Amino acid sequence: MSRIPAVFDNLRQQHRKALIPFITAGDPEPAMMVPLMHELVKAGADIIELGVPFSDPMADGPTIQRSSERALKHHVGLRNVLAMVEEFRRDDAGTPVVLMGYANPVETMGYGTFSARARECGVDGVLIVDYPPEESAEWVKHLLARQIDPIFLLSPTTPQARIERVADMAQGYVYYVSLKGVTGALNLDLGDVAAKLTQLRSSISIPIGVGFGIRDRATARAVAGLADAVVIGSRIIEEIENSPKARILTNVYGLVKNLRTAIDEAGPKH
Amino acid sequence: MKVYDFPDKQGHFGPYGGIFVAETLIAALEELRVQYERYRSDAAFQAEFAHELKHYVGRPSPIYHAKRWSAQLGGAQILLKREDLNHTGAHKINNAIGQALLAKRMGKSRVIAETGAGQHGVASATVAARYGMECVVYMGSVDVERQAANVYRMRLLGATVIPVESGSRTLKDALNEAMRDWVTNVENTFYIIGTVAGPHPYPMMVRDFQAIIGREAIGQMQEEYGRQPDMLIACVGGGSNAIGLFYPYLDSNVRMIGVEAAGRGIETGQHAATLTTGRPGVLHGNRTYLIQDEDGQIIETHSISAGLDYPGVGPEHAWLKDSKRAEYAGITDDQALEAFHALCHYEGIIPALESSHALAYAARLAPQLAREKLLLVNLSGRGDKDMATVAQASDITF
């Protein structure tokens, strides 16, 4: 079993919601990654989503795309990302790490090699944006053989039959992208999110994280009132992008800490 | 002989093709798949498509015997399928009309497109004007610069051209950006993909719309020469003009050769010869051969022709290569330029640089073959758009 279910069990007992920050591995530079991951945990992250840089991040908006380009300038590939997780694990045996990225780096490494190495490095879950359930049978088999959770996306346009299909395949948590479009977009309709989550919960028994469009205390608090986990990506990447290098760790800590307190204010709902 | 019947229901050509996209696009692709299935066998839709191809595009495009050039080469006869004579000057219009008619029936008021050389962008802008739809074209800023005339044509036709500054700023980045637009505006927007790549049903749908090329050729060859050609030759970037010619011939014994851009030479690494040098992976919604590094990052490609400058290739070509039904070869920038000039000189036809790759392959092959052999080359586009590039290669400035 991965580290993810225990984290959600603990939070549930404390009537708290999970905070899942997303950063791109290698942005702004490889040497800063492991300290940044520890800083996220100190600031209150329950799970870390680590983006694997890819040359063609089709589902991402300009912010995460730029972060991918910065990481690629340092030639950060999947092998390096796994090594970063391995290094992080030396000082943190408990915080789950989820890799998020695109299919081609995994295709290149091969499912077997990737899954074995990811397990060895302490990866808990993987979300490959462009592996929908239809194309994922082999992939999921390899992950499960190594006790790595296959994480899938659900969107506002996902019909009921697909929700059930994802419910059968997904482990750890599912990631509901709360608006149409790419990452970093601005408009978030909380009424829609609430209605959709009710629908999702009738089929899905594992926790549901919500991401895309969460940028501040208000949206974080509101989403925490609805979902089991709040995923925050582009806003953190912007902080990294706009901070002088010496201030990145401090500024990201401040931002995430602030969002953490907002999420905890949401209080118990269900 | 087993009848060729790819793709399967999920869009697979053997191990290639498929639907590799984020969840946010699945519903839109499903809607498209269902609607296309419906209109694919709808007589009224097909009749309107045929009518538009005849009266708006000017089809059928003739097969022209390049007699002087063939005589000069001293071997097989080179026949040209004249897609350059289509309205807008390339084969791209066949598919753009098909997809625009579908968009209209699906109630989409806005179309978007990606373009490399600009031919597909021009075709999309053209059909958007023809059917009264808003049109946005994404084009890498590098391509915007080297295809300035086509950018102006698109604007004249009322399209908005958006230069893409991300990544290598060429066709693949334009495709990424168009996908992002589509996922954001999917309710009123139809994405007209210009080549036989992307997620299912695009590779199949674009092939079907382009297959008019091969179907016409079969009839024309029978009528004018009493037999089919010995070989089909077409350039391959994404591969839509090649599939259009090849597909109706797949169940025959006619040899088919796809010609990729070997750029400055395969050995320099500056090329776009995906099937020759790449390995399978996943990009832009399908599994296919890709030019990539050891980490699986997509590498910037080079070709003198923007339309071939793409690190992937249609999944059906990947399958035709593996199954050995088609063969694939590379032609360098210099070889393509040489064929470009030869066709201008001997036949009074200015070919597109893309098509010049197919011509160059035919020119190398013809002298090795008997005079009775017939090589049918797809002259996929005219070269007016390439004046600046060709002049620059000859150190001429206007």
Side-chain angles (χ1 to χ4, degrees):
Chain A
M1 205 195 247
S2 85
R3 296 169 185 81
I4 295 172
V7 165
F8 279 104
D9 285 346
N10 280 338
L11 285 166
R12 203 173 297 117
Q13 282 163 22
Q14 300 168 32
H15 304 291
R16 292 170 73 220
K17 301 302 177 69
L19 167 59
I20 310 182
F22 168 95
I23 52 175
T24 301
D27 172 37
E29 56 183 41
M32 207 180 280
M33 283 332 284
V34 175
L36 194 52
M37 290 169 77
H38 289 308
E39 211 66 24
L40 292 173
V41 176
K42 258 186 9 199
D46 298 298
I47 296 171
I48 294 175
E49 278 187 6
L50 204 52
V52 181
F54 183 51
S55 51
D56 294 79
M58 247 168 51
D60 286 298
T63 304
I64 290 180
Q65 196 184 354
R66 280 196 305 273
S67 78
S68 213
E69 284 177 12
R70 284 192 296 271
L72 286 174
K73 280 210 181 100
H74 297 284
H75 305 286
V76 175
L78 184 52
R79 289 172 295 182
N80 312 91
V81 178
L82 289 167
M84 287 171 192
V85 179
E86 193 170 37
E87 196 190 330
F88 171 76
R89 279 277 168 258
R90 282 183 211 143
D91 298 309
D92 188 329
T95 309
V97 175
V98 170
L99 300 189
M100 187 168 174
Y102 291 82
N104 204 50
V106 167
E107 297 260 316
T108 295
M109 190 175 278
Y111 294 172
T113 310
F114 169 78
S115 306
R117 179 83 182 115
R119 170 71 182 176
E120 191 177 281
C121 295
V123 170
D124 298 280
V126 185
L127 196 176
I128 297 296
V129 175
D130 47 355
Y131 277 160
E134 288 82 351
E135 303 282 0
S136 293
E138 274 301 300
W139 165 241
V140 165
K141 235 184 268 175
H142 276 90
L143 292 182
L144 293 180
R146 302 288 179 174
Q147 290 87 47
I148 297 169
D149 291 334
I151 293 168
F152 286 94
L153 292 170
L154 291 168
S155 88
T157 54
T158 306
Q160 184 60 31
R162 283 180 67 78
I163 293 173
E164 281 158 26
R165 187 165 193 170
V166 168
D168 284 343
M169 288 181 112
Q171 305 224 7
Y173 59 95
V174 295
Y175 185 168
Y176 177 67
V177 292
S178 48
L179 42 80
K180 293 177 197 171
V182 294
T183 53
L186 290 175
N187 44 337
L188 173 69
D189 187 325
L190 289 165
D192 285 356
V193 175
K196 192 71 184 185
L197 288 187
T198 305
Q199 187 200 348
L200 294 182
R201 284 215 167 83
S202 66
S203 311
I204 289 174
S205 53
I206 58 177
I208 302 174
V210 171
F212 281 34
I214 299 163
R215 312 186 44 80
D216 50 27
R217 286 182 63 92
T219 43
R221 188 188 305 120
V223 168
L226 303 168
D228 303 302
V230 181
V231 187
I232 301 172
S234 298
R235 179 64 190 87
I236 296 174
I237 306 279
E238 282 168 18
E239 197 68 25
I240 292 171
E241 191 167 59
N242 297 329
S243 300
K245 206 173 276 178
R247 296 279 307 165
I248 288 177
L249 292 182
T250 321
N251 289 359
V252 169
Y253 174 88
L255 171 73
V256 173
K257 181 90 191 164
N258 192 25
L259 293 167
R260 169 85 260 174
T261 57
I263 288 168
D264 288 342
E265 283 164 19
K269 278 275 166 66
H270 35 252
Chain B
M1 189 177 188
K2 190 186 178 298
V3 175
Y4 182 92
D5 61 355
F6 289 101
D8 69 14
K9 287 264 177 269
Q10 289 78 39
H12 296 113
F13 301 86
Y16 303 108
I19 302 180
F20 291 90
V21 297
E23 185 61 30
T24 39
L25 270 179
I26 292 281
L29 286 166
E30 180 60 14
E31 180 194 11
L32 179 61
R33 190 188 64 75
V34 167
Q35 293 298 320
Y36 180 60
E37 269 315 313
R38 174 180 164 198
Y39 289 112
R40 198 183 183 199
S41 52
D42 179 278
F45 178 85
Q46 293 300 335
E48 187 178 358
F49 183 47
H51 181 272
E52 293 293 279
L53 289 181
K54 181 176 178 192
H55 296 278
Y56 189 63
V57 177
R59 302 202 71 92
S61 69
I63 287 180
Y64 167 77
H65 182 183
K67 276 188 194 153
R68 288 193 69 219
W69 194 38
S70 302
Q72 193 271 334
L73 291 165
Q77 303 308 302
I78 296 179
L79 310 177
L80 305 176
K81 179 64 174 158
R82 297 289 308 273
E83 292 298 300
D84 62 315
L85 294 177
N86 292 341
H87 178 45
T88 73
H91 72 290
K92 293 290 186 190
I93 190 79
N94 304 327
N95 166 56
I97 285 181
Q99 291 196 45
L101 291 178
L102 189 57
K104 217 170 64 163
R105 278 170 174 72
M106 289 171 68
K108 309 284 183 182
S109 58
R110 177 175 181 267
V111 296
I112 57 171
E114 86 295 335
T115 198
Q119 292 305 89
H120 174 58
V122 168
S124 300
T126 299
V127 297
R130 164 78 184 80
Y131 302 114
M133 295 184 275
E134 183 193 346
C135 180
V136 174
V137 179
Y138 291 92
M139 190 170 187
S141 62
V142 169
D143 292 334
V144 166
E145 198 168 315
R146 59 182 166 177
Q147 302 289 343
N150 266 347
V151 173
Y152 184 58
R153 287 169 78 193
M154 287 182 262
R155 289 184 173 142
L156 278 177
L157 291 161
T160 306
V161 179
I162 301 184
V164 175
E165 299 290 350
S166 59
S168 58
R169 292 170 288 145
T170 58
L171 178 56
K172 78 176 176 74
D173 311 287
L175 224 151
N176 292 337
E177 210 55 44
M179 284 275 184
R180 293 187 184 109
D181 180 314
W182 197 33
V183 74
T184 309
N185 301 299
V186 68
E187 259 144 45
N188 72 340
T189 298
F190 188 104
Y191 179 14
I192 304 183
I193 292 187
T195 192
V196 285
H200 182 64
Y202 281 102
M204 175 180 80
M205 180 169 69
V206 176
R207 174 196 75 191
D208 292 350
F209 290 140
Q210 293 293 2
I212 183 70
I213 302 172
R215 282 201 306 273
E216 279 178 7
I218 288 173
Q220 291 166 322
M221 288 301 301
Q222 197 53 47
E223 190 173 316
E224 292 162 38
Y225 297 87
R227 70 180 184 94
Q228 295 306 317
D230 298 286
M231 212 176 287
L232 308 174
I233 302 172
C235 64
V236 175
S240 70
N241 89 81
I243 283 287
L245 178 62
F246 293 177
Y247 179 63
Y249 279 97
L250 283 177
D251 285 329
S252 77
N253 296 318
V254 176
R255 265 182 82 186
M256 31 191 77
I257 295 170
V259 184
E260 299 189 301
R264 300 195 170 99
I266 299 288
E267 68 289 351
T268 67
Q270 299 184 337
H271 58 78
T274 309
L275 289 165
T276 312
T277 70
R279 60 168 203 278
V282 168
L283 180 71
H284 293 152
N286 65 106
R287 185 176 276 130
T288 187
Y289 279 78
L290 300 172
I291 298 181
Q292 51 181 318
D293 69 13
E294 70 283 0
D295 283 330
Q297 309 294 353
I298 307 307
I299 296 175
E300 289 183 26
T301 51
H302 164 82
S303 170
I304 192 168
S305 75
L308 301 184
D309 203 350
Y310 179 62
V313 65
E316 193 160 16
H317 284 294
W319 171 244
L320 293 176
K321 175 194 160 81
D322 281 14
S323 64
K324 299 190 163 55
R325 178 60 190 94
E327 302 152 63
Y328 295 87
I331 282 292
T332 64
D333 291 352
D334 289 345
Q335 291 167 330
L337 278 168
E338 196 184 326
F340 174 97
H341 288 294
L343 204 70
C344 292
H345 183 82
Y346 289 106
E347 301 292 346
I349 296 172
I350 301 176
L353 282 173
E354 289 76 13
S355 323
S356 298
H357 286 71
L359 294 167
Y361 189 84
R364 289 200 307 177
L365 197 61
Q368 305 167 26
L369 300 172
R371 289 171 49 88
E372 302 74 42
K373 296 286 183 187
L374 301 177
L375 307 182
L376 180 59
V377 179
N378 200 4
L379 184 52
S380 55
R382 68 179 183 223
D384 306 52
K385 69 183 174 61
D386 295 315
M387 292 298 96
T389 308
V390 174
Q392 198 183 13
S394 316
D395 288 322
I396 294 163
T397 45
F398 298 130

Short mmCIF file of all heavy atoms in Angstrom, two decimals, chain B residues 51-80:
data_model
loop_
_atom_site.label_atom_id
_atom_site.label_comp_id
_atom_site.label_asym_id
_atom_site.label_seq_id
_atom_site.Cartn_x
_atom_site.Cartn_y
_atom_site.Cartn_z
N HIS B 51 -19.86 17.97 -53.91
CA HIS B 51 -20.24 19.17 -54.65
C HIS B 51 -19.22 20.29 -54.40
O HIS B 51 -18.79 20.98 -55.34
CB HIS B 51 -21.64 19.61 -54.22
CG HIS B 51 -22.14 20.83 -54.94
ND1 HIS B 51 -21.87 22.12 -54.50
CD2 HIS B 51 -22.85 20.97 -56.10
CE1 HIS B 51 -22.41 22.98 -55.34
NE2 HIS B 51 -23.01 22.31 -56.32
N GLU B 52 -18.85 20.48 -53.15
CA GLU B 52 -17.88 21.52 -52.81
C GLU B 52 -16.52 21.23 -53.44
O GLU B 52 -15.85 22.13 -53.93
CB GLU B 52 -17.73 21.64 -51.29
CG GLU B 52 -18.97 22.15 -50.58
CD GLU B 52 -19.29 23.60 -50.93
OE1 GLU B 52 -18.68 24.52 -50.36
OE2 GLU B 52 -20.16 23.79 -51.80
N LEU B 53 -16.12 19.97 -53.43
CA LEU B 53 -14.82 19.61 -54.01
C LEU B 53 -14.81 19.91 -55.52
O LEU B 53 -13.81 20.37 -56.06
CB LEU B 53 -14.50 18.13 -53.77
CG LEU B 53 -14.16 17.74 -52.33
CD1 LEU B 53 -13.84 16.24 -52.25
CD2 LEU B 53 -12.97 18.54 -51.79
N LYS B 54 -15.94 19.69 -56.16
CA LYS B 54 -15.99 19.92 -57.59
C LYS B 54 -16.06 21.41 -57.92
O LYS B 54 -15.27 21.92 -58.71
CB LYS B 54 -17.20 19.18 -58.18
CG LYS B 54 -17.32 19.34 -59.69
CD LYS B 54 -18.46 18.51 -60.25
CE LYS B 54 -18.55 18.75 -61.76
NZ LYS B 54 -19.79 18.22 -62.31
N HIS B 55 -17.00 22.10 -57.29
CA HIS B 55 -17.30 23.46 -57.72
C HIS B 55 -16.47 24.53 -57.01
O HIS B 55 -16.29 25.62 -57.53
CB HIS B 55 -18.80 23.76 -57.53
CG HIS B 55 -19.65 22.90 -58.40
ND1 HIS B 55 -19.90 23.19 -59.72
CD2 HIS B 55 -20.28 21.72 -58.14
CE1 HIS B 55 -20.66 22.23 -60.24
NE2 HIS B 55 -20.90 21.34 -59.31
N TYR B 56 -16.00 24.23 -55.80
CA TYR B 56 -15.23 25.24 -55.05
C TYR B 56 -13.74 24.97 -55.15
O TYR B 56 -12.94 25.88 -55.35
CB TYR B 56 -15.70 25.24 -53.58
CG TYR B 56 -15.15 26.38 -52.76
CD1 TYR B 56 -15.46 27.70 -53.08
CD2 TYR B 56 -14.33 26.14 -51.66
CE1 TYR B 56 -14.96 28.75 -52.32
CE2 TYR B 56 -13.83 27.19 -50.90
CZ TYR B 56 -14.16 28.49 -51.23
OH TYR B 56 -13.66 29.52 -50.47
N VAL B 57 -13.36 23.70 -55.04
CA VAL B 57 -11.93 23.35 -55.09
C VAL B 57 -11.46 23.20 -56.53
O VAL B 57 -10.30 23.48 -56.85
CB VAL B 57 -11.68 22.04 -54.30
CG1 VAL B 57 -10.22 21.62 -54.40
CG2 VAL B 57 -12.07 22.21 -52.85
N GLY B 58 -12.37 22.76 -57.41
CA GLY B 58 -11.98 22.56 -58.80
C GLY B 58 -11.54 21.14 -59.12
O GLY B 58 -10.80 20.90 -60.06
N ARG B 59 -11.98 20.18 -58.30
CA ARG B 59 -11.62 18.79 -58.55
C ARG B 59 -12.42 18.24 -59.73
O ARG B 59 -13.49 18.76 -60.04
CB ARG B 59 -11.89 17.95 -57.28
CG ARG B 59 -11.13 18.44 -56.06
CD ARG B 59 -10.99 17.35 -55.03
NE ARG B 59 -10.04 16.35 -55.52
CZ ARG B 59 -8.73 16.37 -55.25
NH1 ARG B 59 -8.21 17.31 -54.50
NH2 ARG B 59 -7.95 15.45 -55.75
N PRO B 60 -11.99 17.17 -60.34
CA PRO B 60 -10.78 16.41 -60.00
C PRO B 60 -9.51 17.14 -60.43
O PRO B 60 -9.51 17.87 -61.42
CB PRO B 60 -10.95 15.11 -60.80
CG PRO B 60 -11.80 15.48 -61.97
CD PRO B 60 -12.74 16.54 -61.45
N SER B 61 -8.45 16.94 -59.67
CA SER B 61 -7.16 17.48 -60.09
C SER B 61 -6.57 16.52 -61.12
O SER B 61 -6.67 15.31 -60.97
CB SER B 61 -6.23 17.62 -58.88
OG SER B 61 -5.85 16.36 -58.40
N PRO B 62 -5.98 17.06 -62.19
CA PRO B 62 -5.50 16.18 -63.26
C PRO B 62 -4.24 15.40 -62.87
O PRO B 62 -3.54 15.75 -61.92
CB PRO B 62 -5.19 17.15 -64.40
CG PRO B 62 -4.99 18.47 -63.75
CD PRO B 62 -5.81 18.48 -62.50
N ILE B 63 -3.99 14.35 -63.64
CA ILE B 63 -2.68 13.71 -63.60
C ILE B 63 -1.94 14.19 -64.83
O ILE B 63 -2.44 14.09 -65.96
CB ILE B 63 -2.80 12.17 -63.58
CG1 ILE B 63 -3.30 11.73 -62.20
CG2 ILE B 63 -1.45 11.53 -63.90
CD1 ILE B 63 -3.45 10.22 -62.04
N TYR B 64 -0.77 14.77 -64.60
CA TYR B 64 0.00 15.38 -65.67
C TYR B 64 1.28 14.59 -65.89
O TYR B 64 2.00 14.26 -64.93
CB TYR B 64 0.32 16.83 -65.29
CG TYR B 64 1.36 17.49 -66.16
CD1 TYR B 64 1.03 17.96 -67.44
CD2 TYR B 64 2.68 17.65 -65.71
CE1 TYR B 64 1.99 18.56 -68.24
CE2 TYR B 64 3.63 18.25 -66.50
CZ TYR B 64 3.29 18.70 -67.78
OH TYR B 64 4.24 19.29 -68.56
N HIS B 65 1.57 14.27 -67.14
CA HIS B 65 2.79 13.53 -67.48
C HIS B 65 3.95 14.52 -67.66
O HIS B 65 3.95 15.32 -68.61
CB HIS B 65 2.56 12.73 -68.77
CG HIS B 65 3.73 11.90 -69.16
ND1 HIS B 65 3.75 11.15 -70.32
CD2 HIS B 65 4.93 11.66 -68.55
CE1 HIS B 65 4.92 10.51 -70.41
NE2 HIS B 65 5.65 10.81 -69.35
N ALA B 66 4.90 14.50 -66.76
CA ALA B 66 6.05 15.41 -66.85
C ALA B 66 7.04 14.83 -67.87
O ALA B 66 8.07 14.26 -67.53
CB ALA B 66 6.70 15.57 -65.48
N LYS B 67 6.71 15.03 -69.16
CA LYS B 67 7.46 14.36 -70.23
C LYS B 67 8.88 14.87 -70.38
O LYS B 67 9.82 14.10 -70.53
CB LYS B 67 6.73 14.57 -71.57
CG LYS B 67 5.62 13.57 -71.81
CD LYS B 67 5.09 13.72 -73.23
CE LYS B 67 3.76 12.99 -73.35
NZ LYS B 67 2.88 13.54 -74.37
N ARG B 68 9.03 16.19 -70.38
CA ARG B 68 10.38 16.74 -70.60
C ARG B 68 11.31 16.36 -69.46
O ARG B 68 12.46 15.97 -69.67
CB ARG B 68 10.32 18.27 -70.73
CG ARG B 68 9.70 18.77 -72.02
CD ARG B 68 9.99 20.26 -72.18
NE ARG B 68 11.41 20.52 -72.42
CZ ARG B 68 12.10 21.55 -71.90
NH1 ARG B 68 11.50 22.43 -71.13
NH2 ARG B 68 13.39 21.70 -72.18
N TRP B 69 10.78 16.49 -68.24
CA TRP B 69 11.63 16.16 -67.08
C TRP B 69 11.97 14.67 -67.07
O TRP B 69 13.11 14.29 -66.83
CB TRP B 69 10.92 16.58 -65.78
CG TRP B 69 11.81 16.59 -64.57
CD1 TRP B 69 13.11 16.99 -64.52
CD2 TRP B 69 11.47 16.18 -63.24
NE1 TRP B 69 13.61 16.88 -63.25
CE2 TRP B 69 12.61 16.37 -62.43
CE3 TRP B 69 10.31 15.69 -62.65
CZ2 TRP B 69 12.62 16.09 -61.06
CZ3 TRP B 69 10.32 15.42 -61.29
CH2 TRP B 69 11.46 15.60 -60.51
N SER B 70 10.98 13.83 -67.37
CA SER B 70 11.22 12.38 -67.43
C SER B 70 12.28 12.06 -68.48
O SER B 70 13.18 11.26 -68.23
CB SER B 70 9.92 11.63 -67.77
OG SER B 70 8.91 11.92 -66.83
N ALA B 71 12.16 12.70 -69.66
CA ALA B 71 13.12 12.43 -70.73
C ALA B 71 14.52 12.86 -70.29
O ALA B 71 15.51 12.17 -70.53
CB ALA B 71 12.71 13.18 -72.00
N GLN B 72 14.59 14.00 -69.63
CA GLN B 72 15.88 14.51 -69.18
C GLN B 72 16.50 13.55 -68.15
O GLN B 72 17.70 13.32 -68.15
CB GLN B 72 15.68 15.91 -68.59
CG GLN B 72 16.96 16.68 -68.35
CD GLN B 72 17.52 16.42 -66.97
OE1 GLN B 72 16.79 16.08 -66.05
NE2 GLN B 72 18.84 16.57 -66.84
N LEU B 73 15.66 12.97 -67.28
CA LEU B 73 16.16 12.03 -66.27
C LEU B 73 16.52 10.69 -66.91
O LEU B 73 17.36 9.95 -66.40
CB LEU B 73 15.11 11.82 -65.17
CG LEU B 73 14.87 13.04 -64.26
CD1 LEU B 73 13.58 12.87 -63.46
CD2 LEU B 73 16.06 13.27 -63.34
N GLY B 74 15.85 10.36 -68.02
CA GLY B 74 16.25 9.19 -68.81
C GLY B 74 15.87 7.85 -68.21
O GLY B 74 16.66 6.91 -68.26
N GLY B 75 14.69 7.74 -67.67
CA GLY B 75 14.24 6.44 -67.16
C GLY B 75 12.73 6.40 -67.08
O GLY B 75 12.05 6.73 -68.06
N ALA B 76 12.23 6.01 -65.91
CA ALA B 76 10.79 5.87 -65.72
C ALA B 76 10.07 7.19 -66.00
O ALA B 76 10.67 8.27 -65.93
CB ALA B 76 10.50 5.42 -64.29
N GLN B 77 8.78 7.08 -66.33
CA GLN B 77 7.95 8.26 -66.58
C GLN B 77 7.41 8.80 -65.26
O GLN B 77 6.90 8.04 -64.43
CB GLN B 77 6.78 7.89 -67.51
CG GLN B 77 7.23 7.30 -68.83
CD GLN B 77 8.27 8.19 -69.52
OE1 GLN B 77 8.01 9.36 -69.80
NE2 GLN B 77 9.46 7.64 -69.79
N ILE B 78 7.52 10.10 -65.09
CA ILE B 78 7.02 10.73 -63.87
C ILE B 78 5.68 11.38 -64.15
O ILE B 78 5.56 12.22 -65.05
CB ILE B 78 8.03 11.75 -63.32
CG1 ILE B 78 9.32 11.02 -62.92
CG2 ILE B 78 7.44 12.50 -62.12
CD1 ILE B 78 10.41 11.91 -62.38
N LEU B 79 4.69 10.94 -63.40
CA LEU B 79 3.34 11.50 -63.51
C LEU B 79 3.07 12.29 -62.24
O LEU B 79 3.45 11.86 -61.14
CB LEU B 79 2.31 10.38 -63.64
CG LEU B 79 2.58 9.32 -64.70
CD1 LEU B 79 1.49 8.24 -64.66
CD2 LEU B 79 2.64 9.95 -66.09
N LEU B 80 2.40 13.44 -62.39
CA LEU B 80 2.15 14.29 -61.23
C LEU B 80 0.65 14.39 -60.96
O LEU B 80 -0.12 14.75 -61.85
CB LEU B 80 2.70 15.70 -61.48
CG LEU B 80 4.18 15.79 -61.85
CD1 LEU B 80 4.55 17.24 -62.16
CD2 LEU B 80 5.07 15.23 -60.74
#
